Amino acid sequence: LWYLPALAITAVFAFPLFWIALTAIKPRRLIQAYPPRFTFSPTWENFQLVFDSAYTDALRNSLIVAIIS
């Protein structure tokens, strides 16, 4: 029975990671919907928007600084 508290603690710490992953594949119009919807068609549009922005330049600069220092 010792595993029940461990399971509860794991669930509490894992839920934010689950929520981040769920939000990453949600359509933009549903991200801030109230009440939250757990059934939707996943989309990769959010990742496309990030990699089409200046994010890749910032990531490259950060990697250069991290590797050099």
Side-chain angles (χ1 to χ4, degrees), residues 1-67:
L1 226 46
W2 64 269
Y3 58 87
L4 289 178
L7 187 62
I9 291 170
T10 300
V12 167
F13 281 95
F15 181 75
L17 299 175
F18 167 74
W19 195 260
I20 289 169
L22 197 66
T23 303
I25 60 172
K26 259 187 192 180
R28 293 181 77 188
R29 69 182 189 285
L30 296 179
I31 289 176
Q32 293 184 341
Y34 184 81
R37 292 188 47 197
F38 293 99
T39 56
F40 58 88
S41 297
T43 180
W44 297 105
E45 177 187 2
N46 298 328
F47 291 97
Q48 184 179 2
L49 290 172
V50 167
F51 287 110
D52 287 344
S53 68
Y55 172 77
T56 54
D57 294 333
L59 179 63
R60 185 188 69 237
N61 291 340
S62 296
L63 288 174
I64 291 170
V65 169
I67 290 170

